[in-house]
């Protein structure tokens, strides 16, 4: 991530102007969360955290978030690539340096802390590196080649975390850090992401207690109504920033505030917590990027931009299932209107989207709500089951189970169940991966998509988690052999994917803030016009989502005095008097330079 570091150091003494801003903004947030009287009592504690961070920080404050067309995120586990005799984090560093140098400049290392379940998302110690992965020196080494994105798993903790152990024994810190609930309470209004019981039974010396567990029996929710929890999490976040994080991912943030009698999702207090984080980093480390992870319908998801006072970056959660549906059904009847609706969403300054398809999780289905009819979603899920996929469920407020997430390798999701030798599989998959590269925002690539990783049913069987189907851990030597063999799936995808990512760098029309207009094209063809910030360059990114050769006409292409160049294939496009000819599943990036 391109970060401006030109702002002067604050030094050991806080400037009066910074203190004044801090008091005003923080007091307002604390009053919204805890009331006017308590806010005045709590503000000095934030002062302490503020001053402590400045004393511990080394170097200058980072400037305002700056991104450009060169930015791209790699999503990986700390042990996704392994070599004998090396810690997994050191092995990852070696693989990145040799195989992906200069391709990605923001590295999202999924939770690398000690944990008890969910592949890292049930954290037992927020401040340590899992010794099975390496240590903080390994993390620092990775920061030499790219900016880092850390997960702040702020909604819940592992049962093995000291805070939960102390809750059981009624000791500090932790005695009041989790939310104990009477099992007779009416919790029917709570919106759930899972079908597991909401309350988890805990045996303590004082008897049986029931605690809130949104995601699993081993992931116990924290109680942010206790300001001690908020201050602990703030201190952890600032520690991550000092340790090199340039971006912080707020995991499952939509659920952090609970209030019985409500949906317990997206509550005003939740948004206020995000606003407080944003104010804090703007004052302390204004180059830090906050990314919210809210796997919910589109309108709810983008609400975390606030009025430009919450997240800097929001996942485009509707994109992965929309692309999957569009390519399988060879239609853009839902993808195009959704993309066109983005034109009406004026992004606040210093805000952008994170565009992705595959990730360590499955393909979220809630983001399709209101976009694709239920019967078509169900048909897609039936098709995915035939390809070895699983569908996880969530409990609705009506007590029914509803599909929540599709678990499948995104690579295998583009196979044809009826044709094992399908010649278009790779083309369909590469099409799916190239669409996000042209969209407004910053692209993010999951390492197992880059490697064309197939379903891992053995991982599912070993762990009992359907999400493990897309979380393969690679032997580095095997991965490199496959990547170098053009007869393998990995050998066909990996180098071509890297080629496209490298070509994207430097195309100024792909700047995250560059304008985007959806082209009016025939069904089955998806097109975007992007124009550079200075107006000197524009790109027409046109995607054929069908198995047919198509010819499209576009007024922009009719000017015979203009010469177009396909920046993706590095050649002259197949353009004649009939129009632009596209092969099945072909993508073109038609680049036009204006002379001034």
């Amino acid at each position: 991530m391109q970060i401006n570091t030109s702002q002067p150091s604050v030094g050991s003494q806080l400037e009066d102007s910074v203190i004044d801003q801090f008091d005003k903004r923080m007091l307002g947030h604390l009053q919204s969360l805890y009331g006017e009287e308590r806010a005045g009592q709590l503000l000095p504690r934030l002062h302490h955290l503020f001053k402590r961070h400045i004393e511990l920080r080394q170097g200058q404050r980072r400037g305002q978030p700056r991104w450009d067309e060169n930015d791209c995120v790699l999503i990986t586990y700390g042990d996704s690539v392994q070599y004998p005799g090396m810690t997994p984090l050191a092995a990852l560093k070696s693989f990145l340096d040799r195989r992906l140098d200069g391709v990605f400049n923001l590295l999202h290392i999924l939770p690398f802390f000690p944990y008890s379940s969910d592949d890292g998302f049930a954290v037992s110690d927020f401040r340590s590196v899992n010794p099975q992965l390496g240590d903080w020196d390994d993390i620092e080494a990775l920061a030499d080649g790219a900016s880092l994105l850390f997960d702040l798993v702020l909604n819940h903790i592992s049962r093995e975390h000291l805070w939960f152990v102390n809750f059981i024994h009624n000791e500090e810190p932790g005695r009041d850090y989790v939310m104990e609930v009477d099992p007779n309470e009416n919790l029917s209004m709570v919106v759930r992401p899972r079908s597991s019981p909401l309350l988890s039974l805990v045996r303590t010396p004082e008897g049986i207690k029931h605690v809130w567990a949104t995601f699993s029996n081993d992931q116990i929710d924290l109680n942010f109504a206790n300001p001690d929890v908020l201050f602990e999490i703030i201190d952890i976040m600032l520690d991550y920033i000092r340790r090199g994080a340039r971006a912080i991912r707020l995991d499952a943030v939509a659920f952090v505030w609970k209030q019985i009698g409500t949906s317990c999702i997206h509550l005003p207090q939740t948004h206020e917590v995000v606003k407080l984080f944003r104010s804090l980093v703007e004052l302390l480390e204004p180059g830090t990027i906050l990314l919210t992870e809210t796997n919910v319908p589109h309108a709810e998801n983008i609400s975390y931009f606030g009025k430009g006072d919450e997240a800097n970056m929001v996942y485009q959660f509707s994109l992965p299932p929309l692309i999957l549906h569009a390519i399988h059904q060879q239609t853009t009847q839902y993808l195009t209107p959704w993309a066109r609706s983005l034109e009406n969403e004026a992004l606040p300054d210093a805000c952008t989207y994170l565009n992705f398809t595959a990730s360590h999780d499955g393909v979220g289905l809630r983001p399709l709500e209101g976009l694709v009819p239920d019967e078509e979603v169900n048909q897609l899920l039936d098709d995915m089951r035939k390809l070895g996929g699983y569908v996880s469920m969530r409990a609705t407020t009506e007590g029914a189970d509803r599909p929540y997430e599709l678990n499948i390798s995104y690579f295998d999701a583009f196979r044809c169940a009826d044709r094992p030798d399908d010649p278009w599989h790779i083309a369909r998959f590469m099409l799916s991966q190239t669409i996000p590269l042209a969209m407004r925002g910053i692209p993010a690539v999951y390492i197992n998509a880059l490697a064309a990783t197939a379903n891992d049913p053995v991982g599912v069987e070993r762990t009992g988690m359907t999400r493990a189907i897309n979380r393969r851990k690679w032997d580095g030597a095997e991965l490199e052999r496959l990547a170098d063999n053009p007869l393998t799936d990995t050998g066909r995808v990996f180098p071509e994917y890297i080629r496209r990512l490298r070509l994207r760098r430097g195309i100024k029309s792909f700047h995250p803030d560059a304008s985007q207009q959806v082209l009016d094209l025939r069904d089955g063809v998806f097109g975007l016009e992007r124009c550079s910030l200075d107006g000197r360059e524009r790109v027409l990114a046109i995607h054929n989502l069908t198995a047919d050769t198509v010819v499209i006409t576009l007024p922009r292409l009719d000017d015979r005095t203009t010469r177009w160049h396909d920046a993706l294939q590095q050649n002259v496009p197949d353009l004649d008097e009939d129009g632009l000819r596209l092969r099945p599943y072909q993508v073109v990036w038609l680049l036009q330079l204006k002379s001034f």
Side-chain angles (χ1 to χ4, degrees):
M1 192 66 60
Q2 305 301 309
I3 299 296
N4 176 5
T5 60
S6 62
Q7 294 200 17
S9 172
V10 174
S12 61
Q13 298 296 320
L14 292 174
E15 300 174 1
D16 290 342
S17 61
V18 176
I19 293 177
D20 289 343
Q21 291 182 55
F22 180 85
D23 285 352
K24 183 178 179 180
R25 294 174 70 171
M26 293 300 118
L27 187 61
H29 297 311
L30 292 173
Q31 287 174 343
S32 296
L33 291 171
Y34 303 112
E36 187 171 343
E37 181 178 350
R38 293 186 74 191
Q41 300 168 355
L42 296 171
L43 185 60
R45 295 179 61 183
L46 271 183
H47 265 277
H48 173 72
L49 292 177
F50 199 141
K51 293 178 180 179
R52 180 173 178 271
H53 174 72
I54 290 177
E55 291 168 358
L56 294 174
R57 182 186 60 210
Q58 297 179 357
Q60 296 178 327
R61 289 194 304 168
R62 291 190 283 275
Q64 292 295 327
R66 291 292 185 267
W67 35 61
D68 63 25
E69 60 277 6
N70 295 305
D71 291 314
C72 191
V73 180
L74 178 67
I75 305 169
T76 179
Y77 281 98
D79 58 354
S80 288
V81 181
Q82 302 175 29
Y83 296 100
M86 303 175 69
T87 66
L89 287 171
L92 178 63
K93 168 70 172 172
S94 175
F95 181 78
L96 295 179
D97 287 348
R98 289 183 297 100
R99 290 288 180 159
L100 299 175
D101 183 47
V103 178
F104 300 97
N105 55 3
L106 186 58
L107 179 63
H108 177 193
I109 313 172
L110 291 155
F112 50 82
F113 318 106
Y115 71 96
S116 55
S117 64
D118 197 19
D119 281 344
F121 285 92
V123 179
S124 55
D125 183 354
F126 288 110
R127 298 180 186 273
S128 299
V129 176
N130 183 347
Q132 295 182 357
L133 298 178
D135 55 28
W136 282 114
D137 288 341
D138 291 317
I139 297 295
E140 184 176 352
L142 283 163
D144 288 340
S147 296
L148 300 183
L149 190 161
F150 286 15
D151 282 278
L152 182 61
V153 186
L154 72 164
N155 180 71
H156 47 260
I157 54 175
S158 162
R159 279 178 172 258
E160 295 180 3
H161 196 288
L162 176 63
W163 296 343
F164 187 70
V165 174
N166 285 350
F167 165 78
I168 292 175
H169 296 285
N170 197 29
E171 297 175 356
E172 297 288 3
R175 180 173 59 194
D176 301 314
Y177 281 19
V178 301
M179 190 168 175
E180 184 181 354
V181 182
D182 183 341
N184 295 316
E185 285 279 6
N186 182 0
L187 304 175
S188 61
M189 294 180 64
V190 177
V191 172
R192 299 296 316 287
R194 299 287 186 272
S195 57
S196 57
L198 176 59
L199 300 184
S200 179
L201 185 148
V202 183
R203 289 182 171 84
T204 77
E206 299 173 351
I208 299 295
K209 296 183 178 181
H210 296 82
V211 296
W212 202 286
T214 297
F215 290 92
S216 79
N217 188 54
D218 188 42
Q219 293 166 299
I220 308 302
D221 285 40
L222 291 169
N223 179 17
F224 276 79
N226 178 355
D228 292 345
V229 171
L230 176 68
F231 294 138
E232 291 273 17
I233 295 300
I234 289 173
D235 195 39
I236 291 166
M237 179 177 70
L238 294 177
D239 186 40
Y240 291 171
I241 293 171
R242 290 192 298 271
R243 290 189 177 276
R246 297 299 181 266
I248 300 290
R249 177 182 180 269
L250 304 180
D251 178 66
V253 67
F255 300 96
V256 299
W257 200 279
K258 289 82 176 170
Q259 184 174 326
I260 294 173
T262 73
S263 64
C264 297
I265 186 173
H266 313 314
L267 295 188
Q269 296 93 328
T270 296
H271 284 278
E272 197 66 40
V273 168
V274 180
K275 291 176 183 178
L276 188 154
F277 289 169
R278 175 70 176 268
S279 291
L280 194 65
V281 298
E282 281 184 348
L283 291 168
L284 277 173
E285 301 288 350
T288 301
I289 295 162
L290 293 182
L291 168 65
T292 48
E293 188 260 340
T294 52
N295 191 358
V296 292
H298 180 72
E300 300 173 32
N301 182 40
I302 63 172
S303 73
Y304 284 87
F305 283 131
K307 296 180 180 179
D309 55 356
E310 295 188 41
N312 300 103
M313 197 153 54
V314 166
Y315 283 91
Q316 280 284 32
F317 273 110
S318 295
L319 193 57
L322 279 172
I323 288 177
L324 184 59
H325 175 273
I327 295 176
H328 264 274
Q329 297 303 316
Q330 302 184 52
T331 179
T332 52
Q333 69 177 119
Y334 305 118
L335 176 62
T336 292
W338 170 79
R340 187 168 284 129
S341 73
L342 301 180
E343 297 173 12
N344 300 322
E345 297 170 0
L347 285 178
D349 291 340
C351 292
T352 195
Y353 303 109
L354 188 70
N355 297 318
F356 75 110
T357 55
S359 77
H360 61 290
D361 288 337
V363 178
L365 300 174
R366 288 211 64 202
L368 286 183
E369 292 177 16
L371 300 177
V372 179
D374 286 351
E375 58 270 22
E376 295 196 39
V377 174
N378 291 333
Q379 180 59 57
L380 177 66
L381 298 182
D382 288 342
D383 293 342
M384 293 300 103
R385 289 186 181 99
K386 294 176 184 177
L387 294 171
Y390 300 89
V391 178
S392 61
M393 311 298 284
R394 70 180 183 92
T396 68
T397 54
E398 292 79 24
D401 282 347
R402 184 178 175 86
Y404 176 74
E405 185 179 80
L406 168 63
N407 300 122
I408 192 170
S409 151
Y410 211 74
F411 178 71
D412 273 1
F414 289 94
R415 294 187 186 276
C416 179
D418 300 329
R419 295 187 62 183
D421 59 345
D422 176 22
W424 296 111
H425 172 214
I426 300 290
R428 282 195 297 270
F429 175 70
M430 288 307 303
L431 166 64
S432 78
Q433 300 304 286
T434 307
I435 291 174
L437 302 185
M439 297 193 69
R440 183 176 184 181
I442 295 174
V445 178
Y446 181 43
I447 194 166
N448 274 328
L450 187 65
T453 308
N455 289 335
D456 185 11
V458 174
V460 175
E461 183 68 24
R462 184 180 65 253
T463 65
M465 297 190 307
T466 56
R467 282 181 168 178
I469 199 168
N470 194 31
R471 296 178 175 179
R472 177 176 174 176
K473 313 299 182 185
W474 280 94
D475 173 79
E478 178 188 5
L479 176 56
E480 295 197 60
R481 283 196 301 271
L482 292 174
D484 291 335
N485 184 348
L487 299 180
T488 67
D489 289 340
T490 302
R492 295 172 67 190
V493 168
F494 188 90
E496 175 60 16
Y497 209 145
I498 297 303
R499 187 187 74 85
R500 296 187 185 195
L501 291 171
R502 290 190 185 279
L503 286 173
R504 184 187 184 276
R505 294 174 63 90
I507 298 179
K508 294 185 180 300
S509 297
F510 288 153
H511 190 290
D513 298 334
S515 64
Q516 173 175 299
Q517 180 181 354
V518 178
L519 302 176
D520 187 14
L521 301 173
R522 56 172 285 179
D523 186 35
V525 181
F526 180 62
L528 300 169
E529 180 177 6
R530 303 291 308 280
C531 186
S532 63
L533 296 176
D534 62 9
R536 293 178 176 272
E537 177 190 284
R538 68 172 166 153
V539 169
L540 303 182
I542 304 176
H543 315 76
N544 180 9
L545 277 66
T546 76
D548 301 319
T549 296
V550 299
V551 178
I552 64 167
T553 58
L554 196 64
R556 293 167 178 80
L557 301 177
D558 291 341
D559 183 1
R560 298 306 173 190
T561 65
T562 299
R563 297 191 64 180
W564 295 89
H565 173 70
D566 184 356
L568 189 58
Q569 297 303 325
Q570 295 289 290
N571 61 18
V572 177
D574 190 355
L575 181 64
D576 56 29
E577 62 274 5
D578 294 326
L580 175 67
R581 188 177 304 274
L582 295 173
R583 299 185 304 277
Y585 307 113
Q586 183 182 1
V587 181
V588 294
W589 289 345
L590 301 185
L591 180 64
Q592 176 197 42
L593 296 177
K594 293 183 180 180
S595 299
F596 289 86

